[in-house]
Amino acid sequence: MKALIIGSGGREHALASKVAENSNVQVVYCAPGNGGTYKENKCENINITQIDELLSFAIENKIDITIVGSEEWLVQGIVDKFNEKGLKILGPCEKAARLEGSKSYSKEFMKKYGIKTAAYEVFEDENKAIDYLKNCEYPIVIKADGLAAGKGVVICNDFLAAKSSINDFMVVDIFKGSGKKIIIEEFLEGVEASILSITDGKVILPFVSSKDHKQIFDGGIGPNTGGMGAIAPNPYCTKEVLDEFYKNILLPTLKGIQEEKMDYRGIIFFGIMITKKGVYSLEYNVRFGDPETQAVLPLMKSDFTELVISAIGRDLENFELLWKKGYSCCLITASKGYPGKYNTGYEISESGKLEGKLYLAGATFDDGLLKTNGGRVLGITGFGETLAKAREIAYADMKKVQFHGMYYRKDIGK
């Protein structure tokens, strides 16, 4: 078998590594890949980033399965184009990708199918949005409607902060069009959880739960990032929480997918909030999360490649999805200054053998050396019988990795 992984982050390194575990897989092409996939077993980087070129490559090289990492390609309809050519690809059709591509669309979808979610209003006019803020209870949540690399959500504690955020989104246009339409949403107090799942349009199989850590600094303070670490399973996802999620969020979502006639054979990521008033749906992602993937996939006991094939072939109801016992803890290391301005080109070195798994993200292999070339540079995932042990391994490993200006949170999973 030949596989194609589209993307260049730590998530794609984790996907490529997991696909390569299948003995039938001969080669995993990574487009464009990174320094980690360059060195990974069976993997080969290819410098292609355009949909038409990816399609041509898949046809010419007789690719058996394609997995799309980033939401941007999915929203642009890459799955529809691959399907038209009879190629097997994991991901939602362009219509279904709107569940992530437009937060207003996803909220309307939740409302239509009775999925419990926070109260909200949608605005495309700055002045009307500011008028609405005058009568809001605080804190309030402001979200960019479109894609914003995981950074388009701000919690505002007062009117002035909310007004400033609206100006950033709608006038300054910090998200280059994605914040021209915004959602102002009720603030929910509780604990967030991430539940990656896979669907073939007939069933949805949830993965082990996880917990992302979005803010840059310890204690969950500072601006949002693409994710500074993740643990799995999420200790707050009790049986009662998961039962409520399955009944009131997962099943009605599946009903909506079917009634809207979406061709959805791919990943559906549920962001949920566990509150005293029950479990709420925060958002959908239509692809693997980053860094949740680096925490969750290593715990999968079943063959991941066979799972993907079953989803594409609409045969998940006959797939037994099994998980290893234990916990994982993934730490993300960022460049100094991230999520603001940062410098790149620094050498990445290791000073000892790692007990966990290293996933490279914003890193390239250049002149025989690994060098930084992004904001979130790498992740290390530790595994253990307990969460405490998984944390211990991850943090011990992180001390063996060095690059100039590296920064990571010290409280992931604490």
Side-chain angles (χ1 to χ4, degrees):
M1 289 177 58
K2 297 178 182 178
L4 173 63
I5 309 293
I6 302 175
S8 61
R11 163 185 54 204
E12 287 76 23
H13 186 182
L15 290 168
S17 174
K18 198 68 176 174
V19 169
E21 290 179 5
N22 184 292
S23 60
N24 293 320
V25 172
Q26 174 190 356
V27 59
V28 182
Y29 294 106
C30 301
N34 60 35
T37 54
Y38 178 87
K39 298 179 72 175
E40 190 67 44
N41 180 42
K42 296 184 183 178
C43 293
E44 182 179 328
N45 288 354
I46 55 170
N47 189 24
I48 302 176
T49 56
Q50 300 301 313
I51 290 179
D52 289 342
E53 293 178 1
L54 290 164
L55 184 60
S56 297
F57 179 87
I59 294 170
E60 291 168 8
N61 290 274
K62 298 180 180 178
I63 298 298
D64 294 288
I65 56 168
T66 297
I67 302 173
V68 184
S70 171
E71 61 275 21
E72 293 180 9
W73 283 292
L74 296 168
V75 169
Q76 291 172 27
I78 188 172
V79 169
D80 306 70
K81 293 182 178 180
F82 269 60
N83 283 334
E84 286 170 8
K85 298 297 183 181
L87 294 167
K88 294 179 180 179
I89 183 169
L90 185 76
C93 66
E94 185 175 357
K95 179 181 179 181
R98 289 188 67 203
L99 289 171
E100 179 171 2
S102 170
K103 286 188 172 61
S104 59
Y105 174 80
S106 69
K107 294 289 282 189
E108 290 161 8
F109 178 93
M110 292 178 203
K111 185 177 181 180
K112 182 176 180 179
Y113 292 101
I115 298 162
K116 194 172 183 178
T117 190
Y120 70 99
E121 294 291 340
V122 180
F123 296 93
E124 295 184 70
D125 182 276
E126 175 201 7
N127 294 321
K128 289 181 180 179
I130 291 172
D131 284 342
Y132 179 78
L133 290 176
K134 295 174 182 176
N135 298 309
C136 285
E137 290 187 12
Y138 291 87
I140 200 80
V141 181
I142 299 176
K143 297 181 176 181
D145 180 67
L147 301 178
K151 303 168 190 172
V153 179
V154 179
I155 299 171
C156 303
N157 291 313
D158 53 46
F159 172 78
L160 289 178
K163 183 179 178 182
S164 176
S165 291
I166 286 176
N167 182 68
D168 286 343
F169 281 35
M170 305 184 81
V171 180
V172 179
D173 195 21
I174 59 174
F175 297 121
K176 299 178 181 178
S178 289
K180 288 292 188 178
K181 180 191 285 189
I182 63 167
I183 294 88
I184 301 179
E185 189 175 274
E186 168 194 14
F187 174 77
L188 298 174
E189 187 172 355
V191 178
E192 286 191 46
S194 304
I195 303 181
L196 283 163
S197 309
I198 193 166
T199 185
D200 59 0
K202 297 193 295 182
V203 299
I204 298 176
L205 296 183
F207 292 0
V208 165
S209 63
S210 59
K211 179 169 175 43
D212 187 15
H213 299 67
K214 279 287 185 188
Q215 284 75 26
I216 184 68
F217 299 125
D218 287 2
I221 60 175
N224 268 355
T225 70
M228 291 301 296
I231 58 171
N234 187 324
Y236 294 94
C237 286
T238 62
K239 183 180 184 302
E240 291 74 19
V241 166
L242 292 174
D243 286 347
E244 186 178 344
F245 156 75
Y246 194 86
K247 179 182 177 182
N248 298 330
I249 298 176
L250 185 149
L251 288 180
T253 297
L254 179 60
K255 180 183 177 183
I257 287 170
Q258 292 170 343
E259 292 199 6
E260 298 293 327
K261 293 181 170 54
M262 296 175 177
D263 182 5
Y264 204 142
R265 290 172 284 165
I267 298 301
I268 183 163
F269 174 117
F270 297 90
I272 65 172
M273 180 71 81
I274 305 163
T275 78
K276 292 178 180 179
K277 296 179 180 178
V279 180
Y280 286 75
S281 175
L282 291 178
E283 65 177 359
Y284 297 113
N285 289 343
V286 297
R287 39 72 190 182
F288 286 95
D290 187 340
E292 292 94 339
T293 301
Q294 294 92 300
V296 169
L297 276 193
L299 294 177
M300 186 179 289
K301 188 175 181 180
S302 300
D303 187 280
F304 175 66
T305 303
E306 294 301 323
L307 175 67
V308 170
I309 292 169
S310 292
I312 295 171
R314 296 189 175 93
D315 193 32
L316 282 179
E317 59 189 351
N318 295 312
F319 192 93
E320 186 178 13
L321 185 52
L322 302 174
W323 298 91
K324 301 173 186 176
K325 293 181 179 179
Y327 293 81
S328 66
C329 177
C330 176
L331 313 178
I332 298 296
T333 301
S335 297
K336 182 180 180 180
Y338 175 82
K341 293 182 179 180
Y342 54 86
N343 295 320
T344 61
Y346 299 113
E347 181 183 349
I348 303 168
S349 62
E350 294 179 37
S351 59
K353 185 177 180 181
L354 305 183
E355 189 174 345
K357 174 67 177 178
L358 173 67
Y359 295 113
L360 290 170
T364 186
F365 198 74
D366 185 23
D367 292 331
L369 298 173
L370 282 174
K371 295 182 180 179
T372 67
N373 75 334
R376 291 188 301 157
V377 176
L378 58 87
I380 291 179
T381 302
F383 315 97
E385 293 182 0
T386 65
L387 179 56
K389 185 61 177 177
R391 291 187 75 248
E392 179 186 326
I393 290 170
Y395 277 103
D397 278 351
M398 190 59 81
K399 292 179 180 178
K400 301 173 185 175
V401 178
Q402 297 88 30
F403 63 86
H404 178 75
M406 67 182 286
Y407 169 81
Y408 58 95
R409 282 178 57 166
K410 309 300 190 298
D411 64 343
I412 301 302
K414 192 172 183 179

